[in-house]
Short mmCIF file of all heavy atoms in Angstrom, two decimals:
data_model
loop_
_atom_site.label_atom_id
_atom_site.label_comp_id
_atom_site.label_asym_id
_atom_site.label_seq_id
_atom_site.Cartn_x
_atom_site.Cartn_y
_atom_site.Cartn_z
N ALA A 77 -1.61 0.71 10.88
CA ALA A 77 -2.91 0.64 10.23
C ALA A 77 -4.02 0.36 11.22
O ALA A 77 -5.18 0.72 10.99
CB ALA A 77 -2.89 -0.47 9.14
N PHE A 78 -3.67 -0.31 12.33
CA PHE A 78 -4.69 -0.70 13.30
C PHE A 78 -4.63 0.06 14.63
O PHE A 78 -5.60 0.15 15.36
CB PHE A 78 -4.55 -2.22 13.65
CG PHE A 78 -4.75 -3.11 12.52
CD1 PHE A 78 -3.89 -4.21 12.34
CD2 PHE A 78 -5.76 -2.95 11.58
CE1 PHE A 78 -4.09 -5.10 11.27
CE2 PHE A 78 -5.97 -3.80 10.54
CZ PHE A 78 -5.13 -4.90 10.38
N TYR A 79 -3.46 0.53 14.97
CA TYR A 79 -3.21 1.01 16.33
C TYR A 79 -4.26 1.95 16.90
O TYR A 79 -4.85 1.73 17.95
CB TYR A 79 -1.82 1.67 16.41
CG TYR A 79 -1.46 2.27 17.73
CD1 TYR A 79 -1.18 1.47 18.86
CD2 TYR A 79 -1.44 3.65 17.91
CE1 TYR A 79 -0.85 2.01 20.08
CE2 TYR A 79 -1.12 4.21 19.14
CZ TYR A 79 -0.84 3.40 20.22
OH TYR A 79 -0.52 3.94 21.43
N LYS A 80 -4.52 3.05 16.23
CA LYS A 80 -5.47 4.06 16.75
C LYS A 80 -6.90 3.49 16.81
O LYS A 80 -7.64 3.78 17.75
CB LYS A 80 -5.43 5.31 15.93
CG LYS A 80 -4.16 6.13 16.10
CD LYS A 80 -4.19 7.43 15.29
CE LYS A 80 -2.92 8.21 15.51
NZ LYS A 80 -2.91 9.52 14.70
N ARG A 81 -7.24 2.67 15.86
CA ARG A 81 -8.60 2.10 15.83
C ARG A 81 -8.78 1.13 16.96
O ARG A 81 -9.85 1.07 17.61
CB ARG A 81 -8.85 1.46 14.49
CG ARG A 81 -9.02 2.47 13.38
CD ARG A 81 -8.98 1.85 11.97
NE ARG A 81 -9.21 2.90 10.96
CZ ARG A 81 -8.24 3.69 10.52
NH1 ARG A 81 -7.02 3.57 10.97
NH2 ARG A 81 -8.51 4.64 9.65
N PHE A 82 -7.78 0.28 17.22
CA PHE A 82 -7.88 -0.68 18.31
C PHE A 82 -7.86 0.04 19.66
O PHE A 82 -8.58 -0.37 20.61
CB PHE A 82 -6.74 -1.68 18.24
CG PHE A 82 -6.82 -2.64 17.10
CD1 PHE A 82 -5.79 -3.51 16.82
CD2 PHE A 82 -8.02 -2.77 16.33
CE1 PHE A 82 -5.87 -4.42 15.78
CE2 PHE A 82 -8.09 -3.66 15.30
CZ PHE A 82 -7.04 -4.50 15.03
N LYS A 83 -7.06 1.07 19.76
CA LYS A 83 -6.93 1.80 21.03
C LYS A 83 -8.26 2.47 21.43
O LYS A 83 -8.54 2.67 22.61
CB LYS A 83 -5.82 2.85 20.93
CG LYS A 83 -5.32 3.34 22.29
CD LYS A 83 -4.06 4.19 22.10
CE LYS A 83 -3.49 4.62 23.42
NZ LYS A 83 -3.02 3.48 24.25
N LYS A 84 -9.08 2.79 20.45
CA LYS A 84 -10.36 3.46 20.71
C LYS A 84 -11.51 2.49 20.99
O LYS A 84 -12.63 2.96 21.23
CB LYS A 84 -10.72 4.39 19.51
CG LYS A 84 -9.78 5.55 19.35
CD LYS A 84 -10.19 6.35 18.11
CE LYS A 84 -9.29 7.55 17.94
NZ LYS A 84 -9.61 8.31 16.68
N GLN A 85 -11.26 1.19 20.86
CA GLN A 85 -12.34 0.24 21.10
C GLN A 85 -12.84 0.37 22.54
O GLN A 85 -12.07 0.12 23.48
CB GLN A 85 -11.88 -1.20 20.80
CG GLN A 85 -11.62 -1.50 19.32
CD GLN A 85 -12.82 -1.27 18.47
OE1 GLN A 85 -13.95 -1.65 18.84
NE2 GLN A 85 -12.60 -0.66 17.32
N PRO A 86 -14.09 0.72 22.75
CA PRO A 86 -14.57 1.04 24.11
C PRO A 86 -14.65 -0.16 25.04
O PRO A 86 -14.60 0.00 26.26
CB PRO A 86 -15.96 1.64 23.87
CG PRO A 86 -16.38 1.08 22.58
CD PRO A 86 -15.16 0.94 21.74
N LEU A 87 -14.77 -1.36 24.46
CA LEU A 87 -14.90 -2.56 25.29
C LEU A 87 -13.59 -3.28 25.55
O LEU A 87 -13.57 -4.25 26.29
CB LEU A 87 -15.92 -3.49 24.67
CG LEU A 87 -17.38 -2.95 24.51
CD1 LEU A 87 -18.26 -3.99 23.81
CD2 LEU A 87 -17.94 -2.58 25.86
N TRP A 88 -12.51 -2.79 24.94
CA TRP A 88 -11.24 -3.47 25.07
C TRP A 88 -10.35 -2.85 26.15
O TRP A 88 -10.29 -1.62 26.27
CB TRP A 88 -10.46 -3.41 23.75
CG TRP A 88 -10.93 -4.30 22.66
CD1 TRP A 88 -12.14 -4.99 22.64
CD2 TRP A 88 -10.28 -4.61 21.42
NE1 TRP A 88 -12.23 -5.72 21.50
CE2 TRP A 88 -11.12 -5.50 20.72
CE3 TRP A 88 -9.05 -4.19 20.89
CZ2 TRP A 88 -10.73 -5.99 19.49
CZ3 TRP A 88 -8.70 -4.71 19.64
CH2 TRP A 88 -9.52 -5.56 18.93
N THR A 89 -9.65 -3.72 26.88
CA THR A 89 -8.48 -3.29 27.63
C THR A 89 -7.31 -3.66 26.74
O THR A 89 -6.97 -4.80 26.54
CB THR A 89 -8.36 -4.03 28.97
OG1 THR A 89 -9.55 -3.72 29.76
CG2 THR A 89 -7.14 -3.58 29.72
N TYR A 90 -6.67 -2.64 26.14
CA TYR A 90 -5.79 -2.80 25.03
C TYR A 90 -4.36 -2.52 25.46
O TYR A 90 -4.01 -1.42 25.88
CB TYR A 90 -6.20 -1.90 23.88
CG TYR A 90 -5.33 -1.93 22.65
CD1 TYR A 90 -5.27 -3.07 21.86
CD2 TYR A 90 -4.66 -0.78 22.24
CE1 TYR A 90 -4.49 -3.08 20.72
CE2 TYR A 90 -3.91 -0.80 21.09
CZ TYR A 90 -3.80 -1.95 20.34
OH TYR A 90 -3.09 -1.99 19.17
N THR A 91 -3.48 -3.57 25.30
CA THR A 91 -2.06 -3.41 25.66
C THR A 91 -1.19 -3.75 24.49
O THR A 91 -1.43 -4.76 23.76
CB THR A 91 -1.70 -4.39 26.81
OG1 THR A 91 -2.53 -4.13 27.95
CG2 THR A 91 -0.26 -4.21 27.22
N THR A 92 -0.21 -2.92 24.20
CA THR A 92 0.69 -3.17 23.12
C THR A 92 2.07 -3.49 23.68
O THR A 92 2.48 -2.97 24.68
CB THR A 92 0.83 -1.94 22.15
OG1 THR A 92 1.23 -0.82 22.92
CG2 THR A 92 -0.52 -1.65 21.53
N THR A 93 2.80 -4.35 22.96
CA THR A 93 4.15 -4.70 23.40
C THR A 93 5.06 -4.90 22.19
O THR A 93 4.63 -5.35 21.12
CB THR A 93 4.16 -5.99 24.28
OG1 THR A 93 5.46 -6.21 24.81
CG2 THR A 93 3.72 -7.21 23.48
N ASP A 94 6.30 -4.53 22.41
CA ASP A 94 7.34 -4.71 21.38
C ASP A 94 8.68 -4.42 22.04
O ASP A 94 8.73 -3.71 23.06
CB ASP A 94 7.08 -3.77 20.19
CG ASP A 94 7.98 -4.07 19.00
OD1 ASP A 94 7.62 -4.92 18.17
OD2 ASP A 94 9.09 -3.51 18.90
N LEU A 95 9.73 -4.88 21.41
CA LEU A 95 11.04 -4.63 21.96
C LEU A 95 11.52 -3.19 21.71
O LEU A 95 12.21 -2.59 22.52
CB LEU A 95 12.07 -5.62 21.40
CG LEU A 95 13.37 -5.85 22.19
CD1 LEU A 95 13.07 -6.29 23.63
CD2 LEU A 95 14.21 -6.94 21.46
N HIS A 96 11.09 -2.66 20.55
CA HIS A 96 11.60 -1.32 20.14
C HIS A 96 10.53 -0.31 19.75
O HIS A 96 10.79 0.89 19.80
CB HIS A 96 12.58 -1.50 18.95
CG HIS A 96 13.71 -2.43 19.22
ND1 HIS A 96 14.69 -2.18 20.10
CD2 HIS A 96 13.95 -3.66 18.67
CE1 HIS A 96 15.54 -3.20 20.10
NE2 HIS A 96 15.13 -4.09 19.25
N SER A 97 9.37 -0.75 19.33
CA SER A 97 8.38 0.18 18.76
C SER A 97 7.98 1.29 19.72
O SER A 97 7.67 1.03 20.86
CB SER A 97 7.14 -0.62 18.35
OG SER A 97 6.10 0.27 17.94
N PRO A 98 7.89 2.54 19.25
CA PRO A 98 7.41 3.62 20.03
C PRO A 98 5.90 3.53 20.35
O PRO A 98 5.40 4.23 21.22
CB PRO A 98 7.70 4.87 19.19
CG PRO A 98 7.79 4.36 17.77
CD PRO A 98 8.36 2.96 17.88
N LEU A 99 5.21 2.64 19.65
CA LEU A 99 3.79 2.43 19.90
C LEU A 99 3.55 1.47 21.07
O LEU A 99 2.42 1.26 21.46
CB LEU A 99 3.09 1.91 18.64
CG LEU A 99 3.12 2.82 17.41
CD1 LEU A 99 2.39 2.13 16.24
CD2 LEU A 99 2.59 4.17 17.67
N ALA A 100 4.61 0.83 21.57
CA ALA A 100 4.47 -0.21 22.60
C ALA A 100 4.25 0.38 23.97
O ALA A 100 5.06 1.21 24.44
CB ALA A 100 5.67 -1.11 22.56
N ASP A 101 3.24 -0.08 24.65
CA ASP A 101 3.05 0.29 26.06
C ASP A 101 4.06 -0.37 26.93
O ASP A 101 4.53 0.17 27.97
CB ASP A 101 1.65 -0.14 26.54
CG ASP A 101 0.52 0.47 25.74
OD1 ASP A 101 0.57 1.71 25.51
OD2 ASP A 101 -0.41 -0.26 25.38
N VAL A 102 4.39 -1.62 26.59
CA VAL A 102 5.32 -2.41 27.39
C VAL A 102 6.49 -2.87 26.49
O VAL A 102 6.26 -3.57 25.48
CB VAL A 102 4.64 -3.66 27.96
CG1 VAL A 102 5.65 -4.51 28.77
CG2 VAL A 102 3.44 -3.25 28.88
N LYS A 103 7.68 -2.43 26.79
CA LYS A 103 8.86 -2.85 26.03
C LYS A 103 9.23 -4.25 26.55
O LYS A 103 9.63 -4.42 27.69
CB LYS A 103 10.00 -1.89 26.20
CG LYS A 103 9.76 -0.49 25.66
CD LYS A 103 9.66 -0.53 24.14
CE LYS A 103 9.73 0.88 23.53
NZ LYS A 103 8.61 1.78 23.94
N ALA A 104 9.17 -5.25 25.68
CA ALA A 104 9.45 -6.63 26.14
C ALA A 104 9.85 -7.52 24.97
O ALA A 104 9.52 -7.26 23.82
CB ALA A 104 8.18 -7.20 26.79
N ASP A 105 10.60 -8.54 25.34
CA ASP A 105 10.99 -9.60 24.45
C ASP A 105 9.88 -10.64 24.36
O ASP A 105 9.37 -11.08 25.37
CB ASP A 105 12.29 -10.24 24.98
CG ASP A 105 12.87 -11.33 24.07
OD1 ASP A 105 12.16 -11.79 23.14
OD2 ASP A 105 14.02 -11.74 24.30
N LEU A 106 9.47 -10.97 23.14
CA LEU A 106 8.36 -11.93 22.98
C LEU A 106 8.71 -13.28 23.56
O LEU A 106 7.81 -14.09 23.92
CB LEU A 106 7.98 -12.08 21.51
CG LEU A 106 6.75 -12.88 21.15
CD1 LEU A 106 5.50 -12.38 21.87
CD2 LEU A 106 6.51 -12.89 19.63
N CYS A 107 9.95 -13.58 23.73
CA CYS A 107 10.38 -14.87 24.34
C CYS A 107 10.42 -14.81 25.85
O CYS A 107 10.69 -15.83 26.50
CB CYS A 107 11.76 -15.26 23.81
SG CYS A 107 11.79 -15.67 22.03
N ASN A 108 10.11 -13.65 26.41
CA ASN A 108 10.10 -13.51 27.88
C ASN A 108 9.12 -12.39 28.25
O ASN A 108 9.52 -11.28 28.74
CB ASN A 108 11.50 -13.17 28.39
CG ASN A 108 11.61 -13.19 29.88
OD1 ASN A 108 10.84 -13.84 30.59
ND2 ASN A 108 12.57 -12.42 30.41
N LEU A 109 7.86 -12.64 28.08
CA LEU A 109 6.82 -11.60 28.32
C LEU A 109 6.59 -11.35 29.78
O LEU A 109 6.53 -12.34 30.57
CB LEU A 109 5.53 -12.04 27.63
CG LEU A 109 5.54 -12.04 26.09
CD1 LEU A 109 4.23 -12.63 25.59
CD2 LEU A 109 5.71 -10.61 25.54
N PRO A 110 6.47 -10.10 30.24
CA PRO A 110 6.30 -9.76 31.61
C PRO A 110 4.80 -9.79 32.04
O PRO A 110 4.34 -8.91 32.77
CB PRO A 110 6.89 -8.37 31.71
CG PRO A 110 6.55 -7.78 30.40
CD PRO A 110 6.62 -8.92 29.36
N PHE A 111 4.06 -10.78 31.59
CA PHE A 111 2.62 -10.87 31.94
C PHE A 111 2.36 -12.18 32.64
O PHE A 111 3.04 -13.20 32.39
CB PHE A 111 1.77 -10.77 30.68
CG PHE A 111 2.04 -9.54 29.84
CD1 PHE A 111 2.57 -9.65 28.56
CD2 PHE A 111 1.75 -8.28 30.35
CE1 PHE A 111 2.84 -8.56 27.79
CE2 PHE A 111 2.02 -7.15 29.56
CZ PHE A 111 2.54 -7.27 28.30
N ASP A 112 1.32 -12.20 33.47
CA ASP A 112 0.95 -13.42 34.20
C ASP A 112 0.35 -14.45 33.23
O ASP A 112 -0.15 -14.09 32.15
CB ASP A 112 -0.05 -13.09 35.30
CG ASP A 112 0.55 -12.26 36.41
OD1 ASP A 112 1.79 -12.32 36.59
OD2 ASP A 112 -0.24 -11.56 37.08
N ASP A 113 0.35 -15.68 33.66
CA ASP A 113 -0.30 -16.73 32.90
C ASP A 113 -1.78 -16.40 32.77
O ASP A 113 -2.39 -15.77 33.65
CB ASP A 113 -0.19 -18.07 33.64
CG ASP A 113 1.25 -18.56 33.78
OD1 ASP A 113 2.14 -17.85 33.24
OD2 ASP A 113 1.48 -19.62 34.36
N ASN A 114 -2.39 -16.81 31.63
CA ASN A 114 -3.84 -16.72 31.43
C ASN A 114 -4.37 -15.31 31.63
O ASN A 114 -5.32 -15.12 32.34
CB ASN A 114 -4.56 -17.67 32.41
CG ASN A 114 -4.09 -19.13 32.24
OD1 ASN A 114 -4.19 -19.70 31.16
ND2 ASN A 114 -3.54 -19.68 33.30
N THR A 115 -3.74 -14.37 30.92
CA THR A 115 -4.10 -12.95 31.08
C THR A 115 -5.03 -12.42 29.97
O THR A 115 -5.94 -11.67 30.25
CB THR A 115 -2.84 -12.10 31.14
OG1 THR A 115 -2.05 -12.44 32.30
CG2 THR A 115 -3.18 -10.60 31.23
N PHE A 116 -4.77 -12.82 28.75
CA PHE A 116 -5.41 -12.15 27.60
C PHE A 116 -6.48 -13.04 26.90
O PHE A 116 -6.24 -14.20 26.64
CB PHE A 116 -4.36 -11.71 26.62
CG PHE A 116 -3.40 -10.73 27.17
CD1 PHE A 116 -2.13 -11.12 27.62
CD2 PHE A 116 -3.73 -9.39 27.30
CE1 PHE A 116 -1.21 -10.20 28.14
CE2 PHE A 116 -2.82 -8.47 27.85
CZ PHE A 116 -1.59 -8.88 28.29
#
Side-chain angles (χ1 to χ4, degrees):
F78 297 138
Y79 175 72
K80 289 184 179 179
R81 289 168 177 82
F82 289 171
K83 198 171 183 64
K84 291 178 181 177
Q85 291 301 318
L87 299 178
W88 284 14
T89 300
Y90 178 65
T91 303
T92 57
T93 187
D94 190 88
L95 201 55
H96 305 293
S97 173
L99 300 181
D101 300 314
V102 179
K103 295 293 194 296
D105 183 346
L106 188 55
C107 292
N108 187 26
L109 291 172
F111 306 114
D112 293 336
D113 297 359
N114 303 301
T115 297
F116 298 100

